[in-house]
Amino acid sequence: MIDLLARNPAPDPAALTAELAPSARFEDVRFETYRPNADYPSQAEARASLGSFVGAAQNKPSGLRLFRRRRPEGKGLYLDGGFGVGKTHLLASAYHASDGTRAIMSFQDLMYLIGALGMTRAVDAFRGHDLLLIDEFELDDPGNTHMANTFLGQLMPGGTSVIATSNTEPGALGQGRFNANDFQRQIQGIAERFETRRLDGPDFRQRGTRPEDVFSAAEYAAWQAAQTPETLAVLTHRDLNRHLLKIHPSRFAGLLSGVGAVGVLDLVPMTDQNVALRFVHFIDKLYDLGLPAAFTGVPLAALFNDTYRHGAYAKKYSRCLSRLSELLRESRHTLPV
């Protein structure tokens, strides 16, 4: 088996800038494979808007002409909606539909790059890109929002267009209280370059199904027996949480490099929000990489403590629970009948 606890991948900003492509779960998605919910027309409208936006972003004057014309300033598109409505699918589809120089990353990855490289080098690393796609733009931290504002404010005038997504608070769905106004207020310096599109709808991962829960001991034993031992990583939830505190979330992909499946045993409630947020980032990376996973222990509903569960990061915890449910459903479907 692979021992994740023995791994401590070194930070490598250069490697991160070289690998900014859709993750394994989203490498085959396209606009054509997006299935909008007919009950929520905003989903089909958002897909059409992204297709038009990508087409416009590619119709820029070539930089290979003898007499170069100044590149027009980049434009921005902001997708605002709840978790599980397909924003990441659409973002990855936009990447695949573009044939220009482009990069896709999470907001957390962007923050790590700016912190590791410094603002000037980070801007230089993406100067000349036609399209930058940022998933899960976060407005929770004023400092991070200011850095993103400065970064995009220096990049977009040079011709880089940007598509960003963000989650609406689950309790605001269907009530018209979306994050678009917050987004535009926070990025005042570049807000005029962005148009906003909202995606209404329920979590597609739970559409027509009941949420999954952790494996029984018998289910887990059957699942583990079906995995390839050489690429399987198994560890307890407590050990995982302790180890994640030593590793920056931007290095979680390196932590999981070469891993074929992950088993996390004995889930326990997390009373410390710092621990909980690291675990959320780990599940996000596990999900994005498309790795099979199984979990045992307390029910999912008991993982996140009520003291923070419905606070400023409520959308993160709700998305995490949705993704955990999908990971469990996918693994449960592989069990022998």
Side-chain angles (χ1 to χ4, degrees), residues 1-2 224-233:
M1 290 187 186
I2 293 175
Q224 179 168 326
Q227 307 309 310
T228 302
E230 292 78 13
T231 58
L232 174 63

mmCIF file of all heavy atoms in Angstrom, residues 1-2 224-233:
data_model
loop_
_atom_site.group_PDB
_atom_site.id
_atom_site.type_symbol
_atom_site.label_atom_id
_atom_site.label_comp_id
_atom_site.label_asym_id
_atom_site.label_seq_id
_atom_site.Cartn_x
_atom_site.Cartn_y
_atom_site.Cartn_z
ATOM 1 N N MET A 1 0.831 -1.200 0.000
ATOM 2 C CA MET A 1 0.000 0.000 0.000
ATOM 3 C C MET A 1 0.869 1.255 0.000
ATOM 4 O O MET A 1 2.048 1.218 0.332
ATOM 5 C CB MET A 1 -0.917 0.032 1.227
ATOM 6 C CG MET A 1 -2.028 -1.006 1.221
ATOM 7 S SD MET A 1 -3.152 -0.744 2.617
ATOM 8 C CE MET A 1 -4.190 -2.204 2.442
ATOM 9 N N ILE A 2 0.252 2.363 -0.388
ATOM 10 C CA ILE A 2 0.929 3.653 -0.346
ATOM 11 C C ILE A 2 0.686 4.302 1.011
ATOM 12 O O ILE A 2 -0.446 4.363 1.483
ATOM 13 C CB ILE A 2 0.406 4.571 -1.475
ATOM 14 C CG1 ILE A 2 0.817 4.005 -2.843
ATOM 15 C CG2 ILE A 2 0.927 5.988 -1.304
ATOM 16 C CD1 ILE A 2 0.253 4.778 -4.017
ATOM 17 N N GLN A 224 -12.232 -2.698 -0.396
ATOM 18 C CA GLN A 224 -10.781 -2.738 -0.332
ATOM 19 C C GLN A 224 -10.229 -3.969 -1.033
ATOM 20 O O GLN A 224 -9.187 -3.902 -1.704
ATOM 21 C CB GLN A 224 -10.289 -2.703 1.121
ATOM 22 C CG GLN A 224 -8.764 -2.758 1.225
ATOM 23 C CD GLN A 224 -8.243 -2.444 2.615
ATOM 24 O OE1 GLN A 224 -8.825 -1.621 3.324
ATOM 25 N NE2 GLN A 224 -7.149 -3.078 3.005
ATOM 26 N N ALA A 225 -10.921 -5.095 -0.919
ATOM 27 C CA ALA A 225 -10.454 -6.323 -1.570
ATOM 28 C C ALA A 225 -10.427 -6.187 -3.081
ATOM 29 O O ALA A 225 -9.654 -6.882 -3.757
ATOM 30 C CB ALA A 225 -11.355 -7.493 -1.167
ATOM 31 N N ALA A 226 -11.239 -5.272 -3.611
ATOM 32 C CA ALA A 226 -11.308 -5.101 -5.066
ATOM 33 C C ALA A 226 -10.283 -4.103 -5.589
ATOM 34 O O ALA A 226 -10.133 -3.940 -6.816
ATOM 35 C CB ALA A 226 -12.710 -4.651 -5.471
ATOM 36 N N GLN A 227 -9.560 -3.405 -4.712
ATOM 37 C CA GLN A 227 -8.590 -2.404 -5.140
ATOM 38 C C GLN A 227 -7.224 -3.044 -5.423
ATOM 39 O O GLN A 227 -6.920 -4.138 -4.950
ATOM 40 C CB GLN A 227 -8.444 -1.310 -4.079
ATOM 41 C CG GLN A 227 -9.751 -0.673 -3.652
ATOM 42 C CD GLN A 227 -10.598 -0.193 -4.802
ATOM 43 O OE1 GLN A 227 -10.117 0.516 -5.691
ATOM 44 N NE2 GLN A 227 -11.876 -0.572 -4.805
ATOM 45 N N THR A 228 -6.398 -2.333 -6.170
ATOM 46 C CA THR A 228 -5.027 -2.770 -6.433
ATOM 47 C C THR A 228 -4.162 -2.385 -5.236
ATOM 48 O O THR A 228 -3.993 -1.185 -4.958
ATOM 49 C CB THR A 228 -4.476 -2.104 -7.706
ATOM 50 O OG1 THR A 228 -5.334 -2.418 -8.808
ATOM 51 C CG2 THR A 228 -3.054 -2.576 -7.989
ATOM 52 N N PRO A 229 -3.617 -3.345 -4.501
ATOM 53 C CA PRO A 229 -2.899 -3.020 -3.259
ATOM 54 C C PRO A 229 -1.746 -2.043 -3.455
ATOM 55 O O PRO A 229 -1.512 -1.180 -2.594
ATOM 56 C CB PRO A 229 -2.392 -4.393 -2.786
ATOM 57 C CG PRO A 229 -3.326 -5.371 -3.407
ATOM 58 C CD PRO A 229 -3.701 -4.795 -4.737
ATOM 59 N N GLU A 230 -1.028 -2.157 -4.569
ATOM 60 C CA GLU A 230 0.163 -1.326 -4.783
ATOM 61 C C GLU A 230 -0.164 0.163 -4.899
ATOM 62 O O GLU A 230 0.714 1.011 -4.662
ATOM 63 C CB GLU A 230 0.912 -1.781 -6.040
ATOM 64 C CG GLU A 230 1.566 -3.143 -5.930
ATOM 65 C CD GLU A 230 0.562 -4.290 -6.075
ATOM 66 O OE1 GLU A 230 -0.597 -4.022 -6.502
ATOM 67 O OE2 GLU A 230 0.932 -5.436 -5.765
ATOM 68 N N THR A 231 -1.399 0.504 -5.294
ATOM 69 C CA THR A 231 -1.745 1.919 -5.461
ATOM 70 C C THR A 231 -2.838 2.375 -4.489
ATOM 71 O O THR A 231 -3.397 3.454 -4.641
ATOM 72 C CB THR A 231 -2.210 2.197 -6.899
ATOM 73 O OG1 THR A 231 -3.339 1.372 -7.208
ATOM 74 C CG2 THR A 231 -1.095 1.922 -7.890
ATOM 75 N N LEU A 232 -3.122 1.537 -3.504
ATOM 76 C CA LEU A 232 -4.156 1.868 -2.525
ATOM 77 C C LEU A 232 -3.533 2.563 -1.321
ATOM 78 O O LEU A 232 -2.505 2.131 -0.796
ATOM 79 C CB LEU A 232 -4.862 0.586 -2.071
ATOM 80 C CG LEU A 232 -5.892 0.721 -0.942
ATOM 81 C CD1 LEU A 232 -7.061 1.594 -1.374
ATOM 82 C CD2 LEU A 232 -6.363 -0.658 -0.485
ATOM 83 N N ALA A 233 -4.162 3.637 -0.877
ATOM 84 C CA ALA A 233 -3.748 4.334 0.348
ATOM 85 C C ALA A 233 -4.871 4.221 1.367
ATOM 86 O O ALA A 233 -6.019 4.571 1.070
ATOM 87 C CB ALA A 233 -3.447 5.796 0.061
#
